[in-house]
Amino acid sequence: MKRPSQLPSADRLRYGADYNPDQWLDQVQVLEEDISLMQRVQATSASIGIFAWTSLEPSPGHYNFAWLDDTMERFAKAGLSVFLATPSGSKPMWLSEQHPEVRRVTAEGRREPSGGRHNHCPTSPVYRSAVARINRQLALRYGKHPALALWHVGNELNGECHCLLCRSAFHAWLQKRYHCLETLNRVWWNSFWNKTITEWTQIPTTDPGNDGLTVDWLRFVNDQHVSFLENEMAPLRELCPHVPCTTNFMGTNRSTNYWQWAGSLDCIANDHYPLPDDRAGCWRKALGTDFIHSLVRGLADGAPWLLMECSPSSVNWSRINKLKRPGVHLQEVLQAVANGADAIHYFQWRKGLGGHEKYHGAVIDHEGSSDSRVFRECAEVGKVLRDLAPVAGLAPERAKVAIIYDWESRWALEASAGPKKAEESDRHNEACLEHFRALRCAGIEVDLIAPNAELAAYRLVVSPALYSLSAETARRLTKFTIAGGAWVATYLTGYVDEHNRCWRGGFPGPNLREVFGLWNEEVDYLFDDENVRIEGALFGPGGSATATDIVEQLNAEGAQTLATLASEFYANRPIVLRNNCGAGNTFYIGARLAEEGCISFYEYLASELDLPRLVLPRGVVRKTRAGADGPVEFLFNYTREEVSVDLGEDTFHCLVDGHACHGKTTLRPYASLVKGCRPASLPPPSPTPLHPTHEEPQLSASPRR
Ligand code: GAL
């Protein structure tokens, strides 16, 4: 059951960082300075104690809360609030040495050494009860503390454990799902290669040759994390039901089907670290960040959410740890806000002197003062976020177009040998991202939704590479279309059922041949340096597009052909088709279209379906949060170049220098402007627009409809 979204209450956007006072207990002066430095960047909050278990419980059952008492007091006194972490993200040595079962076992059967993090066994009763005990202590001690605003439960829960405890829990999970081995053997197609199981205990946790087992294993692992999370939250909810609980997600992380986590939490939090890249085309990466934020908006069911971690400067784990160029950091922060974030927290407040993350970006450098460039930028961000207080609590605007994002299709594709190139594992994710980008470039707003989401509010649903398609999901999408909706499906649609068994009767399954008016007979793969030409009037002047990687061999069975293949032995075969389905339409794109072709397709669709869209130059994005007193709008230039736009009568402000812009305007590289929220702290509006220009804009910024 979905819990109502319940962000920690605040009359402004939250701003803060992961804070580790436990690493500085011998340097009291540092702790004292931290509070006043936090106030100087206008921070509101900090996530505390994420990896602090040993500092809180130095030996089993012996607690040391003095430092946390002190920290909570300092925060309360300064008017700052605390997102108090449960410390399960890493284990005390005393626990992992005394009870090796809490340590994870790899797929090869090797138990991991003590140390490390995010590597506990999610099944271990010893670990679960140790976690529940320390969480209970925290709830008892701080549940009513005035500084406590939110429970930050664990940290980035993910990964697999193949120990015997997990193995038998997997068996129990399978028994509950399939009841008898006959069913399990049938749905896993176990007569292949002598995989037939005759005792539940024979079932391994991993068998790369068993496609059905692999997806069930991934489902089980996901369920174990959710039940581990529930176990963590039980004492917190029992003792302080008034304090919301969340855990920090990792966007599109492979092993975590967050659609199934979201309902257990009171609000949604995500960690996101866009890697700085100022090369040509960097705007595409920024749209990739919008893609992640849209997924988080979907997980939050349209409510505001928290960006729980991002870096104020560089990271230390990428191949090349670049610095962000001027304007980029502020833009990333506002980009999250525009997408519904009501809190921006960094990893990390202060660089440690030692440990694995001593070179990771932080608000406070080893040098220790407020003199750094990063500190100044963070202070500027703090001021801007304070000025944006009216945005807090406003919902990001819902789109009329949705993309179905499906972890199950990712898992099923990953588990199958083919239909994909041998080395690739994430075709579904990539297809969703490409179609998201193309829709955004065509000026169309997009939500990301779960396969079982309510569809009625949408005019168009796009399901890129929805490879694993259950009869129920197919039925719901068909119903949506018959009722007048439009459904776009692509290559790799409806190949397998929920057990990763191919649908009989021809793809797309199940029974979707009629819905799409076509039969997908075969699929061709292209070498990386090969492509296939496509022709069709829908691609605009010239009427052609390019396909890469994957080209299906389609037969029209009643559908209208919109584009055909124009090279190779399969020239003249249909590749983009349209079908009438009840009061609605289906569209099928049987090849991976290169960017321009994909954008043209959605431009065609927008005009066919009369979809609302806003055409702006490539890399310029406008985003809205809806408020009772009118919307607040954000305008971004994601490119490294100046871009000309025509803002018409709309007046946008730069929140840093207060300048107003309207009419024909040149946006600076990485510019971020806001309309509908002109804070009192800004100087009076300037009579002249920022960077007036006499150049013609490439495209009008005014809404078409
Ligand atoms: C996150 C993690 C943080 C920190 C950060 C560094 O994945 O939750 O604790 O390690 O990465 O970028």
Side-chain angles (χ1 to χ4, degrees), residues 339-669:
N339 274 284
D342 260 14
I344 304 291
H345 266 211
Y346 298 123
F347 177 84
Q348 51 188 339
W349 171 251
R350 185 183 272 279
K351 286 182 183 172
L353 301 183
H356 188 68
E357 295 187 315
K358 63 180 182 288
Y359 294 118
H360 192 288
V363 182
I364 307 292
D365 186 65
H366 300 128
E367 186 267 346
S369 76
S370 59
D371 291 338
S372 66
R373 181 187 64 83
V374 173
F375 186 92
R376 281 193 297 279
E377 276 199 13
C378 290
E380 185 174 271
V381 168
K383 174 187 155 305
V384 166
L385 290 179
R386 185 206 58 202
D387 286 348
L388 281 173
V391 172
L394 303 188
E397 204 166 69
R398 297 246 185 186
K400 290 281 162 217
V401 176
I403 285 181
I404 294 183
Y405 189 86
D406 183 30
W407 268 275
E408 294 256 328
S409 284
R410 288 176 77 183
W411 295 346
L413 262 171
E414 178 183 332
S416 304
K420 60 181 186 201
K421 291 185 175 176
E423 69 283 3
E424 78 184 30
S425 64
D426 225 348
R427 182 63 84 198
H428 172 79
N429 190 63
E430 176 193 79
C432 287
L433 173 58
E434 286 178 0
H435 281 259
F436 176 90
R437 255 198 313 244
L439 279 155
R440 296 299 291 116
C441 288
I444 301 167
E445 283 289 345
V446 196
D447 289 345
L448 261 64
I449 58 170
N452 62 357
E454 179 54 61
L455 303 176
Y458 295 106
R459 307 247 317 266
L460 167 66
V461 172
V462 182
S463 61
L466 195 59
Y467 170 73
S468 171
L469 194 44
S470 68
E472 172 56 15
T473 303
R475 192 192 59 73
R476 293 179 57 255
L477 279 158
T478 304
K479 193 172 153 213
F480 160 78
T481 313
I482 289 172
W487 176 12
V488 173
T490 75
Y491 55 92
L492 292 180
T493 290
Y495 279 43
V496 299
D497 66 10
E498 58 269 46
H499 304 295
N500 217 354
R501 286 179 309 188
C502 290
W503 282 109
R504 284 190 66 200
F507 304 150
N511 303 321
L512 291 176
R513 270 171 83 162
E514 213 182 311
V515 171
F516 285 91
L518 61 89
W519 169 35
N520 169 16
E521 185 181 350
E522 287 183 280
V523 51
D524 190 28
Y525 285 89
L526 306 181
F527 291 117
D528 293 347
D529 56 357
E530 263 187 323
N531 54 52
V532 163
R533 197 177 138 81
I534 296 180
E535 286 176 354
L538 84 156
F539 297 118
S544 75
T546 304
T548 60
D549 271 334
I550 176 163
V551 181
E552 290 177 340
Q553 307 294 295
L554 308 177
N555 301 283
E557 295 179 334
Q560 174 198 353
T561 297
L562 298 178
T564 51
L565 297 165
S567 54
E568 277 298 338
F569 77 93
Y570 34 70
N572 297 321
R573 287 190 80 138
I575 196 67
V576 182
L577 297 99
R578 171 183 187 153
N579 200 31
N580 297 330
C581 178
N585 291 280
T586 57
F587 298 82
Y588 194 93
I589 308 170
R592 183 181 179 203
L593 294 178
E595 187 172 77
E596 289 306 322
C598 205
I599 296 170
S600 301
F601 171 78
Y602 285 111
E603 284 170 345
Y604 154 83
L605 214 60
S607 90
E608 286 293 300
L609 303 176
D610 202 21
L611 295 173
R613 70 180 186 132
L614 181 63
V615 182
L616 292 164
R618 290 280 153 85
V620 176
V621 163
R622 193 164 164 168
K623 203 88 203 129
T624 305
R625 285 181 74 162
D629 304 331
V632 177
E633 293 184 58
F634 297 80
L635 182 71
F636 300 110
N637 174 11
Y638 290 163
T639 77
R640 60 179 191 173
E641 288 92 27
E642 292 190 341
V643 181
S644 304
V645 290
D646 187 350
L647 300 175
E649 296 300 302
D650 292 339
T651 300
F652 280 81
H653 289 98
C654 165
L655 289 178
V656 176
D657 60 19
H659 276 93
C661 348
H662 54 262
K664 289 178 180 169
T665 302
T666 297
L667 301 175
R668 275 190 289 225

Side-chain angles (χ1 to χ4, degrees), residues 210-423:
N210 191 329
D211 304 4
L213 180 149
T214 307
V215 289
D216 271 337
W217 167 253
L218 288 167
R219 288 182 185 128
F220 160 76
V221 168
N222 188 64
D223 284 1
Q224 282 305 88
H225 286 310
V226 175
S227 93
F228 183 87
L229 187 60
E230 298 275 4
N231 172 71
E232 282 226 33
M233 293 186 296
L236 312 178
R237 286 190 164 144
E238 176 198 325
L239 295 168
C240 31
H242 54 288
V243 181
C245 291
T246 193
T247 190
N248 43 346
F249 290 171
M250 292 181 288
T252 54
N253 180 57
R254 161 203 169 264
S255 67
T256 40
N257 182 349
Y258 289 135
W259 296 124
Q260 291 176 5
W261 299 45
S264 297
L265 299 165
D266 298 314
C267 53
I268 299 300
N270 193 49
D271 297 348
H272 187 56
Y273 292 87
L275 292 178
D277 186 345
D278 62 329
R279 288 169 294 180
C282 55
W283 57 271
R284 285 190 184 82
K285 287 201 171 171
L287 285 179
T289 291
D290 278 340
F291 173 70
I292 302 283
H293 292 337
S294 301
L295 175 64
V296 180
R297 279 201 331 262
L299 290 162
D301 203 15
W305 48 276
L306 304 100
L307 181 62
M308 193 62 100
E309 286 183 24
C310 62
S311 174
S313 53
S314 60
V315 296
N316 71 334
W317 43 257
S318 149
R319 194 174 76 80
I320 297 173
N321 299 309
K322 277 188 94 68
L323 298 178
K324 295 179 191 174
R325 271 38 194 171
V328 170
H329 179 54
L330 177 65
Q331 180 170 92
E332 286 173 356
V333 165
L334 292 179
Q335 196 184 347
V337 172
N339 274 284
D342 260 14
I344 304 291
H345 266 211
Y346 298 123
F347 177 84
Q348 51 188 339
W349 171 251
R350 185 183 272 279
K351 286 182 183 172
L353 301 183
H356 188 68
E357 295 187 315
K358 63 180 182 288
Y359 294 118
H360 192 288
V363 182
I364 307 292
D365 186 65
H366 300 128
E367 186 267 346
S369 76
S370 59
D371 291 338
S372 66
R373 181 187 64 83
V374 173
F375 186 92
R376 281 193 297 279
E377 276 199 13
C378 290
E380 185 174 271
V381 168
K383 174 187 155 305
V384 166
L385 290 179
R386 185 206 58 202
D387 286 348
L388 281 173
V391 172
L394 303 188
E397 204 166 69
R398 297 246 185 186
K400 290 281 162 217
V401 176
I403 285 181
I404 294 183
Y405 189 86
D406 183 30
W407 268 275
E408 294 256 328
S409 284
R410 288 176 77 183
W411 295 346
L413 262 171
E414 178 183 332
S416 304
K420 60 181 186 201
K421 291 185 175 176
E423 69 283 3

